[in-house]
C-alpha cells in the first residue's frame, strides 16, 4: 500500500467530489488531486536532489509540491517560514537539504540559503509540469516537519 495507490483509489472511488476546499473559494476534486500530485511527482522524479525543503503557506500548491516530491522518492523537509532566517538555514544544513522550493519571496532568506550552498527555487508552476503524470509505482520518500510552535 502506498500513497500513490491511495490517490488512485480515491480518484476512482470519489472522482469529481470535492477533496480540497480552500478559504479563497478554490476547490479541487479527488481526480484533480490525484492528477496534480502525480504530475508533480513526475517532475520531481527527474530532479537530482534527494533531500528538499518545501517552505511556504499551507495551500493546495504547497501540498502538491510536498506530496509530489514524496511520491517521487524524495525526503521532504517541511519548514515553517515564520522561523528566523538563521534557524531556517541551520535546520536545512543539519538536515542536509540540497534544495528549497518555496512561495516565500524573501531576498535575505534566499541569499542566506544560497550562501549555505543550497539551491533556492520558487514552487513549480504549471509551465514546468508538462509531460503527464507519474505512471509507475515508485519507492516513496519521507517527510520531516519543523514548526515554530
Amino acid at each position: 500500500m502506498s500513497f500513490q495507490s491511495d490517490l488512485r483509489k480515491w480518484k476512482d472511488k470519489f472522482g469529481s467530489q470535492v477533496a480540497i476546499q480552500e478559504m479563497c473559494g478554490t476547490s479541487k476534486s479527488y481526480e484533480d488531486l490525484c492528477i496534480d500530485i502525480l504530475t508533480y511527482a513526475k517532475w520531481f522524479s527527474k530532479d537530482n536532489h534527494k533531500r528538499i525543503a518545501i517552505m511556504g503557506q499551507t495551500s493546495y500548491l504547497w501540498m502538491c509540491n510536498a506530496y509530489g516530491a514524496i511520491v517521487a522518492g524524495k525526503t521532504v523537509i517541511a519548514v515553517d517560514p515564520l522561523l528566523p532566517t538563521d534557524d531556517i538555514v541551520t535546520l536545512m544544513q543539519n538536515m542536509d537539504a540540497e534544495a528549497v522550493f518555496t512561495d516565500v519571496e524573501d531576498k535575505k532568506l534566499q541569499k542566506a540559503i544560497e550562501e549555505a550552498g543550497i539551491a533556492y527555487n520558487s514552487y513549480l508552476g504549471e509551465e514546468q509540469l508538462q509531460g503527464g503524470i507519474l505512471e509507475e509505482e515508485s519507492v516513496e520518500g519521507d517527510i520531516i516537519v519543523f514548526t515554530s510552535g
Side-chain angles (χ1 to χ4, degrees), residues 85-95:
T85 297
D86 291 344
D87 290 351
I88 291 172
V89 173
T90 299
L91 279 171
M92 291 191 203
Q93 289 173 319
N94 289 343
M95 298 306 302

Side-chain angles (χ1 to χ4, degrees), residues 107-123:
K107 295 296 181 191
K108 178 184 172 194
L109 177 62
Q110 180 177 356
K111 181 179 179 194
I113 288 170
E114 289 175 342
E115 285 176 351
I118 301 167
Y120 187 92
N121 306 281
S122 294
Y123 280 161

Side-chain angles (χ1 to χ4, degrees), residues 3-148:
F3 185 62
Q4 183 177 359
S5 64
D6 287 342
L7 284 170
R8 292 178 188 280
K9 285 179 188 174
W10 297 338
K11 179 180 82 91
D12 294 342
K13 185 173 182 175
F14 303 112
S16 62
Q17 293 180 39
V18 175
I20 304 289
Q21 179 75 46
E22 292 191 288
M23 290 176 62
C24 64
T26 303
S27 65
K28 295 290 184 172
S29 69
Y30 284 92
E31 183 172 13
D32 294 334
L33 180 66
C34 176
I35 290 169
D36 291 347
I37 289 175
L38 294 180
T39 300
Y40 279 82
K42 183 169 185 175
W43 188 93
F44 277 112
S45 71
K46 296 175 184 177
D47 182 70
N48 292 330
H49 300 108
K50 302 290 183 229
R51 287 182 156 237
I52 63 171
I54 305 289
M55 184 173 64
Q57 296 288 328
T58 304
S59 66
Y60 185 73
L61 185 57
W62 182 95
M63 187 172 65
C64 288
N65 275 273
Y67 289 111
I70 291 168
V71 169
K74 309 299 180 186
T75 297
V76 172
I77 305 158
V79 179
D80 186 337
L82 299 177
L83 291 170
T85 297
D86 291 344
D87 290 351
I88 291 172
V89 173
T90 299
L91 279 171
M92 291 191 203
Q93 289 173 319
N94 289 343
M95 298 306 302
D96 296 324
E98 300 168 275
V100 175
F101 289 86
T102 184
D103 66 350
V104 176
E105 293 185 25
D106 181 334
K107 295 296 181 191
K108 178 184 172 194
L109 177 62
Q110 180 177 356
K111 181 179 179 194
I113 288 170
E114 289 175 342
E115 285 176 351
I118 301 167
Y120 187 92
N121 306 281
S122 294
Y123 280 161
L124 300 176
E126 288 183 25
E127 68 280 354
Q128 296 156 306
L129 296 174
Q130 305 305 316
I133 65 172
L134 183 69
E135 297 289 347
E136 66 277 357
E137 213 38 61
S138 60
V139 176
E140 295 181 348
D142 302 296
I143 189 165
I144 303 167
V145 180
F146 292 97
T147 68
S148 58

